[in-house]
Amino acid sequence: MQDRTQDKKKLIAGNWKMNGGIEANDALVRAIVTGLRGASCLAAVCVPAPYLAQVQVLRQGSTLELGAQDVSAHAQGAYTGEVSARMLKDFGARYAIVGHSERRQYHGEGDALVADKAKAALAAGITPIVCVGETLTEREAGRTEEVVKRQLAAVIHTNGHCISEIAVAYEPVWAIGSGKTATPEMAQQVHAVLRAQLKAATAHSARVNILYGGSMNAGNAATLLAQPDIDGGLIGGASLNAADFLQIIVAASHAVA
Ligand code: PEP
């Protein structure tokens, strides 16, 4: 397997969550595509499934990549409401978020299911962006490391040597959509733990982008992205504003990889 470590770029992925509309998407993606020219990091938008087709057309000819916010663990069959990895691939998706804390919290998704979803994505040639992160209660109880390691261990266990093909997003649950960001030092500390865990699992760990997510914005992106083990960002709220999202992309393009 060829080692891509040398040319690894930071990745900025927008998570639109359940936001958007035909008109708003059109304006947002056109502005991102225009502003993205010359950027030297990877950039993607993870859109609600019904808008994949629209954004697939809008991004044509651009380096902007497309992603989904979830994927079924199953390949096909009687799973009403589910969307398979192959279906996402049909619409040009390169990424699929799996295990976002909102899915763990509101849809009861556990570590084993998240690991199976990552496996389904990988089997279809889609990079799963595996989200891990502790709640405030877990952080205050000093359990951050234990929680994120357990969440990532499940994905490593299920995916074996393919683990070097995933991306990871460390998203402290208390920082998502709250305006509270982990300090760069706090984030780096957890990223280093995740990096070490990946290193123990694969000789190609350096190719895995470990993103930070949780109220990353135009103002704080540069300092977060300057940390040695922060390889990009998963951006919620700020990805819905083209100017803010593009500023984060500029910060990632200038940060040392
Ligand atoms: C997210 O939902 O993945 C996220 C990081 O959200 P926000 O940037 O709004 O905190």
Side-chain angles (χ1 to χ4, degrees):
M1 202 181 291
Q2 193 195 345
D3 197 326
R4 289 184 280 118
T5 309
Q6 291 308 313
D7 57 13
K8 188 169 82 176
K9 295 177 175 178
K10 289 195 192 283
L11 166 63
I12 300 298
N15 173 15
W16 288 5
K17 311 196 189 202
M18 199 172 71
N19 293 295
I22 295 287
E23 267 182 51
N25 302 345
D26 189 88
L28 179 58
V29 176
R30 282 182 197 281
I32 293 170
V33 163
T34 303
L36 197 58
R37 292 189 192 118
S40 59
C41 68
L42 302 171
V45 284
C46 298
V47 309
Y51 297 134
L52 284 166
Q54 182 196 12
V55 179
Q56 185 189 25
V57 172
L58 287 168
R59 65 164 286 275
Q60 258 170 25
S62 154
T63 55
L64 182 67
E65 296 284 356
L66 186 54
Q69 297 172 13
D70 187 28
V71 63
S72 177
H74 304 285
Q76 62 173 40
Y79 302 102
T80 303
E82 296 266 274
V83 178
S84 74
R86 188 186 47 76
M87 292 171 186
L88 300 179
K89 193 77 182 167
D90 279 346
F91 288 94
R94 173 165 174 190
Y95 299 101
I97 298 171
V98 298
H100 191 281
S101 63
E102 288 152 14
R103 295 215 57 90
R104 292 181 191 259
Q105 187 180 350
Y106 306 135
H107 301 270
E109 295 192 5
D111 295 340
L113 178 60
V114 172
D116 285 343
K117 288 185 171 200
K119 188 173 186 174
L122 286 167
I126 289 175
T127 302
I129 301 176
V130 177
C131 299
V132 300
E134 81 288 1
T135 62
L136 188 56
T137 312
E138 288 164 341
R139 173 162 281 271
E140 287 175 348
R143 296 183 50 218
T144 298
E145 219 176 281
E146 167 209 323
V147 170
V148 298
K149 281 172 89 170
R150 187 203 72 223
Q151 292 171 333
L152 183 57
V155 179
I156 292 172
H157 176 75
T158 300
N159 289 279
H161 71 275
C162 294
I163 204 70
S164 60
E165 304 306 318
I166 71 168
V168 176
Y170 168 55
E171 299 209 303
V173 180
W174 48 270
I176 296 177
S178 64
K180 291 184 195 146
T181 320
T183 64
E185 295 73 23
M186 280 160 82
Q188 166 56 30
Q189 203 175 357
V190 179
H191 280 234
V193 167
L194 296 170
R195 178 81 69 210
Q197 192 178 2
L198 288 164
K199 209 170 175 178
T202 169
H204 304 289
S205 62
R207 68 172 64 163
V208 178
N209 281 89
I210 307 179
L211 317 181
Y212 170 79
S215 299
M216 190 187 271
N217 58 41
N220 61 26
T223 42
L224 283 160
L225 293 166
Q227 300 301 309
D229 290 304
I230 299 187
D231 306 319
L234 183 56
I235 320 296
S239 72
L240 297 172
N241 177 298
D244 289 350
F245 191 55
L246 287 166
Q247 257 187 275
I248 297 171
I249 287 168
V250 168
S253 296
H254 291 156
V256 177

